[in-house]
Amino acid sequence: MAPPKAARSFPSITKCEGSTYESIAADLDGTLLISRSSFPYFMLVAVEAGSLFRGLILLLSLPLVIISYFFISEAIGIQILIFISFAGLKIRDIELVSRAVLPRFYAANVRKESFEVFDRCKRKVVVTANPTFMVEPFVKDFLGGDKVLGTEIEVNPKTKKATGFVKKPGVLVGKLKRLSILKEFGDESPDLGIGDRESDHDFMSICKEGYMVHPSKSATPVPLDRLKSRIIFHDGRFVQRPDPFNALITYIWLPFGFILSIIRVYFNLPLPERIVRYTYEMLGIHLVIRGKRLPPPSPGTPGNLYVCNHRSALDPIVIAIALGRKVSCVTYSVSRLSRFLSPIPAVALTRDRAADAARISQILQKGDLVVCPEGTTCREQFLLRFSALFAEMSDRIVPVAVNCKQNMFYGTTVRGVKFWDPYFFFMNPRPTYEVTFLDRLPEEMTVKAGGKSAIEVANHVQKVLGDVLGFECTGLTRKDKYMLLGGNDGKVESMYSSKK
């Protein structure tokens, strides 16, 4: 490999005009990403793999991190972030957060001009001070990177927990980045080296060409559909990227939000559904109802089967409020306490097809029923595959399009405690729920009267709801979601064993 070049200035990334390159070594924060700060991502690890209390400690330690970073050593500042965020956490939990939570925030922050240059290269290597396994899933799956050279975390071999310290040679900054590039590429220098700060000059100087990515308030993010993978599933409670300001506002709001959520839940719990529609507005919950609502079934007539997409555990409750009367719902993986506290009858299914079919038929003979055939929630604008079981149960099918909007906390989780889902939803300052009732399916589009197959009916209902919501229909399932986000198949026993 060529000997190190003397320190020099590098042209802007906008001057890089080559069409293709064989290889590239690129920094991450401030280079491939618009933001130069990795604090939000450490905050996400601290909260999602640790706790809100650990996140608070990290936030309060930020002045110490800033002083250390700028006035003592870049490496010491990052080491403090790593220690507070990682110490005592199971490596498996950190890896799951890196795969399930971080990619959504990274993907929204990819810098357009840097990614375009990065994407033109055949061999793509990212060199970063961040822990390797924290950024590797995103770099490989969404940026198309081949290798991540990052800081290696020390792990206790007995407990499989991070100690909070880093392995030798230490935090990857300055000369250590250069040495890692020399070790990775051997005698063949990377064609391109791109970075955003002076400490990146060490590794950029050994590349055949080097370009600086200068901070810019006008830097534009890459459209999400340009990345190598799409964000369909993600986990975590934070809606917004927890930069220092957002994190501070969130922690200030937390005690008030928790008290407000308790009031919103238990004040409305004993009230009739026809009244709750109005008390929701009084308590800051915006409920939008569209479409024609059918009257309750007359005595001796089977109930309507309301089939909705699944956005949160509150979907059936909100549909009951929109109808102004109690309706039953069926559910998987919900605790007895949650069913006890539910303001509408909630019946647990067993995943035994024959037993569940008999139970649903029995409920429909007594009145209306709400089902969510996706089997799990999806936060993004996609619909998962609809289970066809509902189509076999009734010809009185009413599609219901449901959407909800949250600006601070998500009211769903894969790895967290599901009991708290409604409380997190109601902790949002101004949550919104939108319910759109569609026309009942014509007889010719049903199984018994129309001769359609159950799968045809399920796919038709999925498409109708997708068209109304503007969501994309997919063939993905609950199992796909839980395998990606939780490392299990989504069954209660698997979820429990995966946390041990």
Side-chain angles (χ1 to χ4, degrees):
M1 180 177 279
K5 300 175 184 177
R8 58 187 175 85
S9 60
F10 295 92
S12 169
I13 188 72
T14 57
K15 304 294 184 182
C16 183
E17 298 175 349
S19 56
T20 57
Y21 294 93
E22 190 64 33
S23 58
I24 185 171
D27 180 43
L28 186 64
D29 295 304
T31 302
L32 291 173
L33 302 179
I34 295 173
S35 172
R36 304 184 76 197
S37 171
S38 58
F39 171 83
Y41 312 109
F42 282 103
M43 172 62 79
L44 288 165
V45 172
V47 171
E48 302 297 345
S51 64
L52 286 167
F53 180 72
R54 184 186 289 262
L56 178 61
I57 296 299
L58 182 64
L59 180 62
L60 295 176
S61 304
L62 187 57
L64 175 63
V65 173
I66 293 173
I67 292 170
S68 301
Y69 187 95
F70 287 104
F71 299 104
I72 302 176
S73 158
E74 187 176 336
I76 290 178
I78 296 171
Q79 173 65 80
I80 295 172
L81 285 175
I82 291 173
F83 184 82
I84 297 173
S85 303
F86 285 41
L89 296 181
K90 292 181 179 178
I91 290 300
R92 173 178 168 77
D93 289 338
I94 300 173
E95 289 173 341
L96 284 173
V97 170
S98 300
R99 191 172 69 223
V101 180
L102 298 186
R104 179 176 76 93
F105 294 96
Y106 279 133
N109 199 234
V110 177
R111 186 161 174 161
K112 186 172 183 289
E113 59 264 39
S114 302
F115 176 73
E116 289 174 349
V117 172
F118 187 77
D119 198 40
R120 292 202 295 263
C121 302
K122 295 178 181 178
R123 183 183 179 191
K124 308 178 185 77
V125 175
V126 170
V127 55
T128 175
N130 292 319
T132 303
F133 60 70
M134 181 172 155
V135 302
E136 195 168 49
F138 169 72
V139 169
K140 290 187 173 181
D141 295 342
F142 292 87
L143 299 183
D146 299 301
K147 185 75 177 282
V148 174
L149 304 175
T151 301
E152 298 298 332
I153 301 300
E154 189 179 87
V155 180
N156 185 316
K158 293 182 179 179
T159 62
K160 303 297 182 184
K161 293 182 178 180
T163 64
F165 299 103
V166 301
K167 293 180 180 178
K168 293 182 179 180
V171 177
L172 219 62
V173 295
K175 293 180 179 179
L176 293 182
K177 283 187 178 181
R178 174 178 167 273
L179 292 174
S180 67
I181 294 294
L182 286 168
K183 183 178 179 181
E184 175 67 22
F185 284 87
D187 294 330
E188 185 61 35
S189 299
D191 290 344
L192 284 180
I194 59 174
D196 69 296
R197 61 198 80 193
E198 189 175 340
S199 60
D200 292 332
H201 289 188
D202 282 299
F203 85 84
M204 291 168 61
S205 64
I206 60 175
C207 301
K208 294 175 183 175
E209 296 180 31
Y211 294 93
M212 284 294 289
V213 182
H214 299 291
S216 173
K217 292 183 179 180
S218 61
T220 55
V222 174
L224 293 179
D225 58 7
R226 286 281 313 280
L227 300 178
K228 303 301 180 182
S229 299
R230 295 190 297 176
I231 300 288
I232 298 178
F233 299 128
H234 56 85
D235 202 15
R237 291 296 189 186
F238 288 145
V239 173
Q240 299 184 43
R241 181 172 172 269
D243 58 38
F245 179 75
N246 283 339
L248 179 62
I249 294 299
T250 299
Y251 274 99
I252 291 174
W253 172 255
L254 261 176
F256 303 102
F258 181 72
I259 294 170
L260 180 60
S261 74
I262 296 296
I263 295 171
R264 284 169 166 174
V265 171
Y266 292 100
F267 177 79
N268 289 306
L269 200 59
L271 298 179
E273 283 72 14
R274 64 181 182 277
I275 296 176
V276 174
R277 176 182 175 184
Y278 303 101
T279 58
Y280 262 24
E281 291 292 344
M282 290 169 50
L283 294 172
I285 306 164
H286 188 42
L287 181 60
V288 179
I289 304 171
R290 305 184 185 95
K292 181 181 178 182
R293 287 162 283 173
L294 297 177
S298 55
T301 304
N304 295 306
L305 183 59
Y306 291 95
V307 180
C308 69
N309 60 300
H310 205 5
R311 300 301 273 182
S312 86
L314 295 168
D315 295 342
I317 297 171
V318 173
I319 289 174
I321 294 169
L323 289 170
R325 62 180 186 272
K326 289 194 183 300
V327 295
S328 299
C329 70
V330 291
T331 182
Y332 295 111
S333 306
V334 174
S335 68
R336 290 183 181 179
L337 178 60
S338 296
R339 294 201 300 272
F340 175 76
L341 292 175
S342 173
I344 63 174
V347 179
L349 296 181
T350 63
R351 300 191 188 277
D352 180 299
R353 190 175 181 85
D356 291 343
R359 192 164 296 182
I360 291 172
S361 296
Q362 185 180 17
I363 297 171
L364 283 169
Q365 293 305 313
K366 299 178 181 178
D368 294 335
L369 174 66
V370 178
V371 297
C372 304
E374 288 176 287
T376 189
T377 58
C378 184
R379 295 174 173 180
E380 296 299 317
Q381 295 186 355
F382 297 93
L383 296 182
L384 308 188
R385 189 180 74 191
F386 276 32
S387 168
L389 178 61
F390 76 87
E392 301 172 4
M393 299 296 99
S394 174
D395 285 351
R396 300 171 63 86
I397 297 172
V398 181
V400 184
V402 173
N403 201 5
C404 59
K405 298 175 182 177
Q406 304 134 103
N407 59 2
M408 189 171 282
F409 302 106
Y410 280 114
T412 60
T413 184
V414 168
R415 296 180 54 259
V417 180
K418 293 182 180 296
F419 174 80
W420 293 112
D421 285 357
Y423 298 91
F424 271 102
F425 178 82
F426 286 125
M427 281 172 65
N428 285 287
R430 181 67 168 164
T432 298
Y433 239 104
E434 299 174 352
V435 180
T436 304
F437 293 94
L438 307 183
D439 294 335
R440 191 158 62 194
L441 288 191
E443 287 190 351
E444 61 269 20
M445 285 306 302
T446 63
V447 172
K448 297 175 183 177
K452 297 288 185 180
S453 71
I455 293 176
E456 285 179 307
V457 175
N459 290 342
H460 174 72
V461 173
Q462 183 197 41
K463 184 178 185 305
V464 167
L465 292 178
D467 290 342
V468 170
L469 292 165
F471 290 3
E472 181 179 334
C473 297
T474 76
L476 297 171
T477 65
R478 175 188 176 91
K479 183 177 180 180
D480 295 321
K481 171 183 169 180
Y482 276 80
M483 286 302 294
L484 175 68
L485 303 184
N488 59 72
D489 60 9
K491 296 180 181 179
V492 177
E493 57 273 16
S494 301
M495 293 162 64
Y496 178 76
S497 62
S498 70
K499 291 180 181 180
K500 290 184 177 180

